[in-house]
Amino acid sequence: MSTLDIDFVRAQFPAFSEPSLQGQAFFENAGGSYTCKPVIDRLTRFYTQRKVQPYAPYDASRLAGEEMDEARVRMAALLGVDTDELSFGPSTTQNTYVLAQAFRKWMKPGEAIVVTNQDHEANSGPWRRLAEDGIEIREWKIDPDTGSLNPEDLENLLDEKTRLVCFPHCSNVVGEINPVTEITAIAHAAGAFVCVDGVSYAPHGFPNVGDLGPDIYLFSAYKTYGPHQGCMVIRRALGELLPNQAHYFNADVLYKRFTPAGPDHAQIAASAGLADYVDQLCEHHGGPDGGASQRGAFVHDLMRAHEVALLQPVLDAVKDRNALRLIGPSDATRRAPTVALALNREAGPVASELAEMGVMAGGGDFYAVRALQAMGVKPDQGVLRLSFTHYTSRQEIDQLLGALDRVL
Ligand SMILES: Cc1ncc(COP(=O)(O)O)c(C=O)c1O
């Protein structure tokens, strides 16, 4: 397998040649990534040439609509699902909120939903609120020491009343990659649907959602080098079963049923740039020229191999330090490069110290309050989070490790 050409990768991100960002090593990617050039180019073209109401007969409008359609066609193909099984909404939090309203109407009092305490609040709070309507909420709890979710514990929470199981592909503080296919099979065997928050996983290589198997898969394009959009896969069987949440006359269009907000035309169109970027990486590295999901799988593995190689030294540098606790696995192959450290002091000021050394990182609870509490970390003290992606270089890792040596 070829290795990632990091110079080629970085040339696709204008941020790396931006004078005001020189010398700054970016380690808050789990909050929001840099944007790749194909997305920026498409956004600029849309705003300068196509910023009219789409789907009308004049050229600018026709091109606008075609580009929005292209984004859905190509991204759905990359994700291994049908075109109308992918919708764009304002954000993942908004998307889960709308989905929860649909489940609220569809479910009956006494039926149950499983949520975790590993999730970001976006895939937790909206579901928990269904308790107000008599839905039983069962919590799948993490191990307080490791932060792990054990699939065997899930089995004990399932019965004929369970309609939905919600969990993250990867938590934004624990970083461990959950076995989505295995968990989905357990939930499906009990007759429950599955909703996966893929926000912390998708930036590390788009998954083939069709092969993974969940009924719902959510991620945020602004963390996958794209515009500020929430991307939501809803498989057909579930999407047609749940009550429509959009205008009544849109009920027959699957990709509109759970996105009542007016679409952000430019940002949806620009999302096609994510597929351009994957194709560029695939072609440059001599990947397969087969279908989109094959190209996506090749690029996924390329990104992942680069990230794992850079991540292990970071984990090795922090795992045995007395003054801190590494959250999640110390084996890079088991996790995303999103590394949370619980310190013996408040994390925010440490992030400020790092900023003075040219390392951009964050400190806080990252909206994973329940996960931190379950592991005995005080949310107001928070964790220092160091997160990177495939475009991060070895030099930046060295800069990070040097800076950590000084602040920890
Ligand atoms: C794991 C995870 N899930 C969900 C969200 C919420 O995504 P959005 O900002 O698109 O609502 C975030 C945002 O940080 C996240 O990290």
Side-chain angles (χ1 to χ4, degrees), residues 300-314:
H300 170 283
D301 292 352
L302 201 60
M303 289 178 169
R304 183 86 195 117
H306 175 83
E307 290 181 354
V308 167
L310 264 57
L311 176 57
Q312 196 56 58
V314 176

Side-chain angles (χ1 to χ4, degrees), residues 277-335:
Y277 178 54
V278 169
D279 286 351
Q280 276 179 356
L281 286 185
C282 184
E283 195 184 328
H284 178 79
H285 293 87
D289 54 9
S293 60
Q294 256 181 295
R295 296 194 297 275
F298 174 83
V299 170
H300 170 283
D301 292 352
L302 201 60
M303 289 178 169
R304 183 86 195 117
H306 175 83
E307 290 181 354
V308 167
L310 264 57
L311 176 57
Q312 196 56 58
V314 176
L315 298 172
D316 291 343
V318 293
K319 69 180 182 201
D320 295 324
R321 284 184 189 249
N322 289 332
L324 61 82
R325 173 177 168 201
L326 165 65
I327 307 286
S330 56
D331 171 359
T333 62
R334 289 178 51 207
R335 64 180 299 156

Side-chain angles (χ1 to χ4, degrees), residues 67-348:
E67 194 174 16
M68 290 171 68
D69 292 346
E70 179 193 351
R72 235 164 10 82
V73 168
R74 292 180 62 202
M75 287 306 292
L78 196 56
L79 297 165
V81 298
D82 287 346
T83 301
D84 62 348
E85 292 178 314
L86 174 65
S87 331
F88 293 98
S91 72
T92 294
T93 307
Q94 176 84 29
N95 285 342
T96 51
Y97 189 84
V98 174
L99 283 171
Q101 301 319 305
F103 273 90
R104 187 192 291 273
K105 275 266 176 266
W106 175 64
M107 288 177 68
K108 297 184 198 59
E111 294 180 337
I113 291 182
V114 174
V115 294
T116 78
N117 60 356
Q118 194 190 54
D119 271 279
H120 179 285
E121 195 60 17
N123 194 33
S124 194
W127 304 116
R128 290 174 192 260
R129 285 193 191 159
L130 269 56
E132 294 159 9
D133 292 62
I135 304 300
E136 190 191 338
I137 305 299
R138 300 177 183 166
E139 190 178 68
W140 181 13
K141 292 184 173 31
I142 55 174
D143 179 305
D145 294 326
T146 64
S148 279
L149 281 173
N150 182 348
E152 280 176 24
D153 296 341
L154 172 63
E155 308 221 22
N156 301 327
L157 296 171
L158 300 173
D159 60 21
E160 69 294 340
K161 290 197 293 180
T162 322
R163 295 286 167 270
L164 179 68
V165 176
C166 307
F167 65 96
H169 195 163
C170 167
S171 141
N172 66 335
V173 290
V174 179
E176 182 167 13
I177 299 165
N178 289 318
V180 173
T181 304
E182 182 193 343
I183 297 169
T184 299
I186 294 170
H188 281 175
F193 290 110
V194 165
C195 174
V196 174
D197 176 352
V199 174
S200 280
Y201 185 89
H204 310 293
F206 292 114
N208 186 315
V209 177
D211 286 350
L212 271 182
D215 305 285
I216 302 169
Y217 191 93
L218 307 137
F219 65 92
S220 304
Y222 71 95
K223 301 186 199 248
T224 66
Y225 334 117
H228 207 115
Q229 284 292 285
C231 303
M232 169 166 59
V233 169
I234 308 180
R235 303 313 307 271
R236 186 174 316 283
L238 176 61
E240 289 179 352
L241 184 72
L242 290 173
N244 171 38
Q245 299 298 302
H247 296 312
Y248 72 92
F249 42 77
N250 285 330
D252 291 340
V253 185
L254 182 54
Y255 75 88
K256 293 186 176 174
R257 283 170 67 85
F258 306 102
T259 50
D264 187 320
H265 305 145
Q267 295 197 17
I268 292 173
S271 296
L274 296 174
D276 295 339
Y277 178 54
V278 169
D279 286 351
Q280 276 179 356
L281 286 185
C282 184
E283 195 184 328
H284 178 79
H285 293 87
D289 54 9
S293 60
Q294 256 181 295
R295 296 194 297 275
F298 174 83
V299 170
H300 170 283
D301 292 352
L302 201 60
M303 289 178 169
R304 183 86 195 117
H306 175 83
E307 290 181 354
V308 167
L310 264 57
L311 176 57
Q312 196 56 58
V314 176
L315 298 172
D316 291 343
V318 293
K319 69 180 182 201
D320 295 324
R321 284 184 189 249
N322 289 332
L324 61 82
R325 173 177 168 201
L326 165 65
I327 307 286
S330 56
D331 171 359
T333 62
R334 289 178 51 207
R335 64 180 299 156
T338 301
V339 181
L341 305 176
L343 310 177
N344 52 11
R345 58 193 163 122
E346 207 186 319

